[in-house]
Amino acid sequence: MSALSNRNFDRRTALRAALGLAAAGGLAACGGNNGRGGGSGSGTNLVQMFHAYGEAGTEQAIKRYAKAYKEANVTTQWITSADFESKLFSALLTDNAPDLFEFHPQIQMVKSGQVADLTDIIDPVKDDFNPADIKSHTVDGKIYGVRMIDDPQFFFYRKSMLEKAKVDVPTTFDELMEAADKLTTGKVKGLYMGNDLHSVNDTLIWSSGAQHLDEKNQIAYHTDGVVEGLKKMRTLFTSGNLLLGAPTESWDPSSFNQGLCAIQFCGMWAMPAIQDALGDDWGVFPFPKVTDSGKASVYNGGWSMFVNAKGKNVDAAKEYVKWLWIDQKEYQEDWATSYGFHIPPRTSIAETATKLKSGNAAEGVRLFNEFGHFDNIGWTQAMRTAFEDVFANSVRKNMDPEKALDRCDTAVNRELKKLFG
């Protein structure tokens, strides 16, 4: 879900960063007693932690769901500051740790014993979840975390600007670069992909015909196609056609809505805000293929609910997760479609979500189904940071991409050895 507020940072990168820090030495030391009482039934107190979503009504919705639950007293910590991740993982080291919290699937949380095995509550309805969501939360056959929303990300474009410049919707990265050049006029830049470009790191790999890791958890991103993609990104970065230094990061559609760019990389969550600002003068397309052997790609972000395995009320927390994120389909659809647009991870809910059945929302669902890629649970924050350094060095600083990738390989292999031997 987006955060259409003034927090000028890349939430998903920042949130993952905390896990890298915590896994380096903190999570395994978490205390088990949260000091808030135990037992079962209505006397049980549970605390859930969420980051502050920017869309109006989200905080009220989460608290409304919690209030409707009668088997425990559920309170919500709604973290409004930009450092949700540091507050979360600092809290997990204390006696005041939340019983459940939202985050992204990361194998360090499983390896450190931080998150509870939820297989028993998910298994009966597993076939109703998007299989990729199940896979991205599974380690050694056990499922950790329940997906709450899927957040596909793609390019948004202004129809009128492309028509005026006589530009077709790009289907290759070369065409995207050409479009950015033709669409750059005066105060309008052709393309915006975030101030640091990190929002497109993953899609560049996929659209170059590669993967982060292979099925044996070995490096799969260091290919000729990715090298070619990095060189093209360097050309684009130095072209003068990219919006850099935008007032908000790319998860926020403000730059697009205000006409600072003709094309912006953003998420499906922004569709209602864009519709309100621009009417029907916009469309979406996937990150185009970078090489002849590549294929267009769509990054599927999203958020998942985890149970703190080191908390005192693990069973009660699991029951609440089951009640809200498995049993209460009405709340699940409300969460996915009433506060920005997201795709429900439950097939049965996605099929009946009327708000996603027409227009650009339906097109977003189609792109998600045809081109979507999900997080690899084995791709850790340290690995992500190492590949971000590849972008910083080869795209922003003009280092030879092969040398930049070699550096990345060293860091990634070090992490892989820690995790998998």
Coordinates of all heavy atoms in Angstrom, one line a residue, residues 331-399:
Y331 N -13.4 -8.0 5.3 CA -12.4 -7.1 5.8 C -11.2 -7.1 4.8 O -10.5 -6.1 4.5 CB -11.9 -7.4 7.2 CG -12.9 -7.1 8.3 CD1 -12.9 -7.8 9.5 CD2 -13.9 -6.1 8.1 CE1 -13.8 -7.6 10.5 CE2 -14.8 -5.9 9.1 CZ -14.8 -6.6 10.3 OH -15.7 -6.3 11.3
Q332 N -10.8 -8.3 4.4 CA -9.7 -8.5 3.4 C -9.9 -7.7 2.1 O -9.0 -7.0 1.6 CB -9.4 -9.9 3.2 CG -8.9 -10.7 4.4 CD -9.1 -12.2 4.3 OE1 -8.9 -12.8 3.2 NE2 -9.5 -12.8 5.4
E333 N -11.1 -7.8 1.6 CA -11.4 -7.0 0.4 C -11.5 -5.5 0.7 O -11.0 -4.7 -0.1 CB -12.8 -7.5 -0.2 CG -13.1 -6.7 -1.5 CD -14.3 -7.2 -2.2 OE1 -14.8 -8.3 -1.9 OE2 -14.8 -6.5 -3.1
D334 N -12.0 -5.1 1.8 CA -12.0 -3.7 2.2 C -10.6 -3.2 2.2 O -10.3 -2.1 1.7 CB -12.7 -3.6 3.5 CG -12.8 -2.1 4.0 OD1 -13.5 -1.3 3.3 OD2 -12.2 -1.8 5.0
W335 N -9.7 -3.9 2.9 CA -8.3 -3.5 3.0 C -7.6 -3.3 1.7 O -6.8 -2.4 1.5 CB -7.6 -4.4 4.0 CG -6.2 -4.0 4.3 CD1 -5.1 -4.7 4.0 CD2 -5.8 -2.9 5.1 NE1 -4.0 -4.1 4.6 CE2 -4.4 -2.9 5.2 CE3 -6.5 -1.8 5.6 CZ2 -3.7 -1.9 5.8 CZ3 -5.8 -0.8 6.3 CH2 -4.4 -0.9 6.4
A336 N -8.0 -4.2 0.8 CA -7.3 -4.2 -0.5 C -7.8 -3.2 -1.5 O -7.1 -2.8 -2.4 CB -7.4 -5.6 -1.1
T337 N -9.1 -2.8 -1.4 CA -9.6 -2.0 -2.5 C -10.3 -0.7 -2.0 O -10.7 0.1 -2.9 CB -10.7 -2.8 -3.2 OG1 -11.8 -3.1 -2.3 CG2 -10.1 -4.1 -3.8
S338 N -10.4 -0.4 -0.7 CA -11.0 0.8 -0.3 C -10.1 1.9 0.0 O -10.5 3.1 0.2 CB -11.9 0.5 1.0 OG -12.9 -0.4 0.6
Y339 N -8.8 1.7 0.1 CA -7.8 2.7 0.5 C -6.6 2.6 -0.5 O -5.5 2.2 -0.1 CB -7.3 2.4 1.9 CG -8.5 2.1 2.8 CD1 -8.8 0.7 3.1 CD2 -9.3 3.1 3.4 CE1 -9.9 0.4 3.9 CE2 -10.4 2.7 4.2 CZ -10.7 1.4 4.4 OH -11.7 1.1 5.2
G340 N -6.9 3.1 -1.7 CA -5.9 2.8 -2.8 C -6.3 1.4 -3.3 O -7.0 0.6 -2.7
F341 N -5.7 1.1 -4.5 CA -6.0 -0.2 -5.1 C -4.8 -1.2 -4.9 O -3.7 -0.9 -5.1 CB -6.3 -0.1 -6.6 CG -7.6 0.5 -6.9 CD1 -7.9 1.0 -8.2 CD2 -8.6 0.7 -6.0 CE1 -9.1 1.5 -8.5 CE2 -9.8 1.2 -6.2 CZ -10.1 1.6 -7.5
H342 N -5.2 -2.4 -4.5 CA -4.2 -3.5 -4.3 C -4.9 -4.8 -4.8 O -6.2 -4.8 -4.8 CB -3.8 -3.6 -2.9 CG -3.6 -2.3 -2.2 ND1 -2.4 -1.7 -2.1 CD2 -4.5 -1.5 -1.6 CE1 -2.5 -0.5 -1.5 NE2 -3.8 -0.4 -1.1
I343 N -4.2 -5.8 -5.0 CA -4.8 -7.1 -5.4 C -4.9 -8.0 -4.2 O -3.9 -8.3 -3.6 CB -4.0 -7.7 -6.6 CG1 -4.0 -6.8 -7.8 CG2 -4.6 -9.1 -6.9 CD1 -3.2 -7.3 -8.9
P344 N -6.1 -8.5 -3.9 CA -6.2 -9.4 -2.8 C -5.4 -10.7 -3.1 O -5.5 -11.2 -4.2 CB -7.7 -9.7 -2.7 CG -8.3 -8.5 -3.4 CD -7.4 -8.1 -4.5
P345 N -4.6 -11.2 -2.2 CA -3.8 -12.4 -2.5 C -4.7 -13.7 -2.5 O -4.2 -14.7 -3.0 CB -2.8 -12.5 -1.3 CG -3.4 -11.6 -0.2 CD -4.2 -10.6 -0.9
R346 N -5.9 -13.6 -2.0 CA -6.9 -14.7 -2.1 C -7.6 -14.7 -3.4 O -8.2 -13.7 -3.8 CB -7.9 -14.6 -0.9 CG -7.3 -14.6 0.5 CD -6.9 -16.0 0.9 NE -8.1 -16.9 1.1 CZ -8.8 -16.9 2.2 NH1 -8.5 -16.1 3.2 NH2 -9.8 -17.7 2.3
T347 N -7.5 -15.8 -4.2 CA -8.1 -15.8 -5.5 C -9.6 -15.6 -5.4 O -10.1 -14.9 -6.3 CB -7.8 -17.2 -6.1 OG1 -6.4 -17.4 -6.2 CG2 -8.4 -17.3 -7.5
S348 N -10.2 -16.2 -4.4 CA -11.7 -16.0 -4.3 C -12.1 -14.6 -4.1 O -13.2 -14.2 -4.6 CB -12.2 -16.9 -3.2 OG -11.7 -16.5 -2.0
I349 N -11.3 -13.8 -3.4 CA -11.6 -12.4 -3.2 C -11.3 -11.6 -4.4 O -12.0 -10.7 -4.8 CB -10.9 -11.9 -1.9 CG1 -11.3 -12.7 -0.7 CG2 -11.2 -10.4 -1.7 CD1 -10.5 -12.4 0.5
A350 N -10.1 -11.9 -5.0 CA -9.7 -11.1 -6.2 C -10.7 -11.2 -7.3 O -11.0 -10.3 -8.1 CB -8.3 -11.6 -6.7
E351 N -11.3 -12.4 -7.4 CA -12.3 -12.7 -8.5 C -13.5 -11.9 -8.3 O -14.3 -11.7 -9.3 CB -12.6 -14.2 -8.6 CG -11.4 -15.0 -9.2 CD -11.7 -16.5 -9.2 OE1 -12.7 -16.9 -8.5 OE2 -10.9 -17.2 -9.8
T352 N -13.9 -11.5 -7.1 CA -15.1 -10.7 -6.9 C -14.9 -9.3 -6.5 O -15.9 -8.6 -6.2 CB -15.9 -11.4 -5.7 OG1 -15.1 -11.4 -4.5 CG2 -16.2 -12.8 -6.1
A353 N -13.6 -8.8 -6.6 CA -13.3 -7.4 -6.3 C -13.8 -6.5 -7.4 O -13.0 -6.3 -8.4 CB -11.9 -7.3 -6.0
T354 N -15.0 -5.9 -7.3 CA -15.5 -5.2 -8.5 C -14.7 -4.0 -8.8 O -14.7 -3.6 -10.0 CB -17.0 -4.8 -8.1 OG1 -17.0 -4.0 -6.9 CG2 -17.9 -6.0 -7.9
K355 N -14.1 -3.3 -7.9 CA -13.3 -2.1 -8.2 C -12.1 -2.4 -9.1 O -11.5 -1.5 -9.7 CB -12.8 -1.5 -6.9 CG -14.0 -0.9 -6.0 CD -13.4 -0.3 -4.8 CE -14.6 0.2 -3.9 NZ -14.1 0.8 -2.6
L356 N -11.7 -3.7 -9.2 CA -10.6 -4.0 -10.0 C -11.0 -4.6 -11.4 O -10.1 -5.2 -12.1 CB -9.7 -5.0 -9.3 CG -9.2 -4.6 -7.9 CD1 -8.3 -5.7 -7.3 CD2 -8.5 -3.3 -7.9
K357 N -12.3 -4.5 -11.7 CA -12.8 -5.2 -12.9 C -12.8 -4.4 -14.2 O -13.0 -4.9 -15.3 CB -14.2 -5.7 -12.6 CG -14.3 -6.7 -11.5 CD -13.6 -8.0 -12.0 CE -13.9 -9.1 -10.9 NZ -13.1 -10.4 -11.3
S358 N -12.5 -3.1 -14.1 CA -12.6 -2.2 -15.2 C -11.5 -1.2 -15.3 O -10.8 -1.0 -14.3 CB -14.0 -1.5 -15.2 OG -14.1 -0.7 -14.1
G359 N -11.3 -0.6 -16.5 CA -10.4 0.5 -16.7 C -8.9 0.1 -16.4 O -8.5 -1.1 -16.6
N360 N -8.2 1.0 -16.0 CA -6.8 0.8 -15.7 C -6.5 -0.2 -14.5 O -5.5 -0.8 -14.5 CB -6.1 2.1 -15.4 CG -5.9 3.0 -16.6 OD1 -5.4 2.5 -17.6 ND2 -6.2 4.3 -16.5
A361 N -7.5 -0.3 -13.6 CA -7.3 -1.3 -12.5 C -7.3 -2.7 -13.1 O -6.5 -3.5 -12.7 CB -8.4 -1.1 -11.5
A362 N -8.2 -2.9 -14.0 CA -8.3 -4.2 -14.7 C -7.0 -4.5 -15.5 O -6.5 -5.6 -15.5 CB -9.5 -4.3 -15.6
E363 N -6.5 -3.4 -16.1 CA -5.2 -3.6 -16.9 C -4.1 -3.9 -15.9 O -3.2 -4.7 -16.2 CB -5.0 -2.3 -17.7 CG -3.7 -2.3 -18.5 CD -3.6 -3.4 -19.6 OE1 -4.6 -4.1 -19.8 OE2 -2.5 -3.5 -20.2
G364 N -4.1 -3.2 -14.8 CA -3.0 -3.5 -13.8 C -3.1 -5.0 -13.3 O -2.0 -5.6 -13.2
V365 N -4.3 -5.5 -13.1 CA -4.4 -6.9 -12.7 C -3.9 -7.8 -13.9 O -3.2 -8.8 -13.6 CB -5.9 -7.2 -12.4 CG1 -6.0 -8.7 -12.2 CG2 -6.3 -6.5 -11.2
R366 N -4.2 -7.5 -15.1 CA -3.7 -8.3 -16.2 C -2.2 -8.3 -16.3 O -1.6 -9.3 -16.5 CB -4.3 -7.7 -17.5 CG -3.9 -8.6 -18.8 CD -4.3 -7.9 -20.1 NE -3.5 -6.8 -20.4 CZ -2.3 -7.0 -21.0 NH1 -1.8 -8.2 -21.2 NH2 -1.5 -5.9 -21.3
L367 N -1.6 -7.1 -16.1 CA -0.1 -7.0 -16.2 C 0.5 -7.8 -15.0 O 1.5 -8.5 -15.2 CB 0.3 -5.6 -16.1 CG -0.1 -4.7 -17.3 CD1 0.4 -3.2 -17.1 CD2 0.5 -5.2 -18.6
F368 N -0.1 -7.7 -13.9 CA 0.3 -8.5 -12.7 C 0.3 -10.0 -13.0 O 1.3 -10.7 -12.7 CB -0.6 -8.1 -11.5 CG -0.5 -9.1 -10.3 CD1 0.5 -8.9 -9.4 CD2 -1.4 -10.1 -10.1 CE1 0.6 -9.7 -8.3 CE2 -1.4 -10.9 -9.0 CZ -0.4 -10.7 -8.1
N369 N -0.8 -10.4 -13.6 CA -0.9 -11.9 -13.8 C 0.0 -12.4 -14.9 O 0.5 -13.5 -14.9 CB -2.4 -12.2 -14.2 CG -3.3 -12.1 -13.1 OD1 -2.9 -12.4 -11.9 ND2 -4.6 -11.7 -13.3
E370 N 0.3 -11.5 -15.9 CA 1.1 -11.9 -17.1 C 2.6 -11.7 -16.8 O 3.4 -12.5 -17.3 CB 0.7 -11.1 -18.3 CG 1.4 -11.6 -19.6 CD 0.9 -11.0 -20.8 OE1 -0.2 -10.3 -20.8 OE2 1.5 -11.1 -21.9
F371 N 3.0 -10.7 -16.1 CA 4.4 -10.3 -16.0 C 4.9 -10.2 -14.6 O 6.1 -9.9 -14.4 CB 4.6 -8.9 -16.7 CG 4.2 -8.9 -18.1 CD1 3.1 -8.1 -18.5 CD2 4.9 -9.6 -19.1 CE1 2.8 -8.0 -19.9 CE2 4.6 -9.5 -20.4 CZ 3.5 -8.7 -20.8
G372 N 4.1 -10.6 -13.6 CA 4.5 -10.4 -12.2 C 5.6 -11.2 -11.7 O 5.7 -12.4 -12.0
H373 N 6.4 -10.6 -10.9 CA 7.5 -11.3 -10.2 C 7.4 -11.0 -8.7 O 7.1 -9.9 -8.3 CB 8.9 -10.9 -10.6 CG 9.2 -11.3 -12.0 ND1 10.0 -12.5 -12.3 CD2 8.9 -10.8 -13.2 CE1 10.1 -12.6 -13.6 NE2 9.5 -11.6 -14.2
F374 N 7.7 -12.0 -7.8 CA 7.6 -11.8 -6.4 C 8.9 -11.9 -5.7 O 9.9 -12.4 -6.3 CB 6.7 -13.0 -5.8 CG 5.2 -12.9 -6.2 CD1 4.8 -13.0 -7.5 CD2 4.3 -12.7 -5.3 CE1 3.5 -13.0 -7.9 CE2 2.9 -12.6 -5.6 CZ 2.6 -12.7 -6.9
D375 N 9.0 -11.3 -4.5 CA 10.3 -11.4 -3.8 C 10.8 -12.8 -3.6 O 10.0 -13.7 -3.3 CB 10.1 -10.7 -2.4 CG 10.0 -9.2 -2.4 OD1 10.8 -8.6 -3.1 OD2 9.2 -8.6 -1.7
N376 N 12.1 -13.0 -3.7 CA 12.7 -14.2 -3.3 C 13.1 -14.1 -1.9 O 13.9 -13.3 -1.5 CB 14.0 -14.4 -4.2 CG 14.6 -15.8 -4.0 OD1 14.7 -16.2 -2.8 ND2 15.2 -16.4 -5.0
I377 N 12.5 -15.0 -1.0 CA 12.8 -14.9 0.4 C 14.2 -15.1 0.8 O 14.7 -14.6 1.8 CB 11.9 -16.0 1.1 CG1 11.8 -15.7 2.6 CG2 12.4 -17.4 0.9 CD1 10.8 -16.5 3.4
G378 N 15.0 -15.6 -0.1 CA 16.5 -15.8 0.2 C 17.3 -14.6 -0.2 O 18.5 -14.6 0.0
W379 N 16.7 -13.6 -0.9 CA 17.4 -12.4 -1.3 C 17.4 -11.4 -0.1 O 16.4 -10.7 0.1 CB 16.8 -11.8 -2.5 CG 17.5 -10.6 -3.2 CD1 17.0 -9.4 -3.2 CD2 18.7 -10.7 -3.9 NE1 17.9 -8.6 -3.8 CE2 19.0 -9.3 -4.3 CE3 19.6 -11.7 -4.2 CZ2 20.1 -9.0 -5.0 CZ3 20.7 -11.3 -5.0 CH2 21.0 -10.0 -5.4
T380 N 18.4 -11.4 0.6 CA 18.5 -10.6 1.9 C 18.7 -9.1 1.7 O 19.1 -8.7 0.6 CB 19.6 -11.2 2.8 OG1 20.8 -10.9 2.3 CG2 19.4 -12.7 3.0
Q381 N 18.6 -8.4 2.8 CA 18.9 -7.0 2.7 C 20.3 -6.7 2.3 O 20.6 -5.8 1.6 CB 18.6 -6.3 4.0 CG 19.0 -4.8 4.1 CD 18.4 -4.0 3.0 OE1 17.4 -4.3 2.5 NE2 19.2 -2.9 2.6
A382 N 21.3 -7.5 2.8 CA 22.7 -7.3 2.5 C 22.8 -7.5 1.0 O 23.6 -6.7 0.3 CB 23.5 -8.2 3.3
M383 N 22.2 -8.4 0.4 CA 22.2 -8.7 -1.0 C 21.6 -7.5 -1.8 O 22.1 -7.0 -2.8 CB 21.6 -10.0 -1.4 CG 22.2 -11.2 -0.7 SD 21.2 -12.7 -1.1 CE 21.8 -13.9 0.1
R384 N 20.5 -7.1 -1.3 CA 19.8 -6.0 -1.9 C 20.7 -4.7 -1.9 O 20.8 -4.0 -2.9 CB 18.4 -5.7 -1.2 CG 17.6 -4.6 -1.8 CD 16.2 -4.6 -1.2 NE 15.5 -5.8 -1.5 CZ 14.8 -6.0 -2.6 NH1 14.8 -5.0 -3.5 NH2 14.2 -7.1 -2.9
T385 N 21.3 -4.5 -0.8 CA 22.2 -3.3 -0.7 C 23.3 -3.4 -1.7 O 23.8 -2.4 -2.3 CB 22.7 -3.1 0.7 OG1 21.6 -2.9 1.6 CG2 23.6 -2.0 0.9
A386 N 23.9 -4.6 -1.8 CA 25.0 -4.9 -2.7 C 24.6 -4.6 -4.1 O 25.4 -4.0 -4.9 CB 25.5 -6.3 -2.5
F387 N 23.4 -4.9 -4.5 CA 23.0 -4.6 -5.9 C 22.6 -3.2 -6.0 O 22.8 -2.6 -7.1 CB 21.8 -5.5 -6.3 CG 21.6 -5.6 -7.8 CD1 22.4 -6.3 -8.6 CD2 20.6 -4.8 -8.4 CE1 22.3 -6.3 -10.0 CE2 20.5 -4.8 -9.8 CZ 21.3 -5.6 -10.6
E388 N 22.1 -2.5 -5.0 CA 21.9 -1.1 -5.1 C 23.3 -0.4 -5.3 O 23.3 0.6 -6.0 CB 21.3 -0.6 -3.8 CG 19.8 -1.0 -3.7 CD 19.2 -0.7 -2.3 OE1 19.9 -0.2 -1.5 OE2 18.0 -0.9 -2.2
D389 N 24.3 -0.9 -4.7 CA 25.6 -0.3 -5.0 C 26.1 -0.5 -6.4 O 26.8 0.4 -7.0 CB 26.7 -1.0 -4.1 CG 26.5 -0.6 -2.6 OD1 25.8 0.4 -2.3 OD2 27.1 -1.3 -1.7
V390 N 25.6 -1.6 -7.1 CA 25.9 -1.7 -8.5 C 25.3 -0.6 -9.3 O 26.0 0.0 -10.2 CB 25.3 -3.1 -9.0 CG1 25.5 -3.1 -10.6 CG2 26.1 -4.2 -8.4
F391 N 24.1 -0.2 -9.0 CA 23.4 0.9 -9.6 C 24.2 2.2 -9.3 O 24.4 3.0 -10.2 CB 22.0 1.0 -9.2 CG 21.0 0.5 -10.1 CD1 20.9 -0.8 -10.5 CD2 20.0 1.4 -10.7 CE1 20.0 -1.3 -11.4 CE2 19.1 0.9 -11.6 CZ 19.1 -0.4 -12.0
A392 N 24.5 2.4 -8.1 CA 25.2 3.6 -7.7 C 26.5 3.8 -8.4 O 26.9 4.8 -8.9 CB 25.4 3.6 -6.2
N393 N 27.3 2.7 -8.5 CA 28.6 2.7 -9.1 C 28.6 2.7 -10.6 O 29.3 3.5 -11.3 CB 29.4 1.5 -8.6 CG 29.8 1.6 -7.2 OD1 30.0 2.7 -6.6 ND2 29.9 0.5 -6.4
S394 N 27.8 1.9 -11.2 CA 27.8 1.7 -12.7 C 26.9 2.7 -13.4 O 27.2 3.2 -14.5 CB 27.5 0.3 -13.1 OG 26.2 0.0 -12.8
V395 N 25.8 3.1 -12.8 CA 24.8 4.0 -13.4 C 25.1 5.4 -13.1 O 25.2 6.3 -13.9 CB 23.4 3.6 -13.0 CG1 22.4 4.6 -13.6 CG2 23.0 2.2 -13.5
R396 N 25.3 5.7 -11.8 CA 25.6 7.1 -11.4 C 27.0 7.5 -11.5 O 27.3 8.7 -11.7 CB 25.1 7.3 -9.9 CG 23.6 6.9 -9.7 CD 23.2 7.1 -8.2 NE 23.1 8.5 -7.9 CZ 21.9 9.2 -7.9 NH1 20.8 8.5 -8.4 NH2 21.9 10.4 -7.6
K397 N 27.9 6.6 -11.3 CA 29.4 7.0 -11.3 C 30.2 6.4 -12.5 O 31.4 6.6 -12.6 CB 30.0 6.5 -10.0 CG 29.4 7.1 -8.7 CD 30.0 6.5 -7.5 CE 29.3 7.1 -6.2 NZ 29.9 6.5 -5.0
N398 N 29.5 5.7 -13.4 CA 30.2 5.2 -14.6 C 31.3 4.2 -14.4 O 32.2 4.0 -15.2 CB 30.7 6.4 -15.4 CG 30.9 6.0 -16.9 OD1 30.1 5.2 -17.4 ND2 31.8 6.7 -17.6
M399 N 31.2 3.3 -13.3 CA 32.1 2.2 -13.2 C 31.7 1.1 -14.2 O 30.5 1.0 -14.7 CB 32.0 1.6 -11.8 CG 32.8 0.4 -11.6 SD 32.5 -0.4 -10.0 CE 33.4 0.6 -8.9

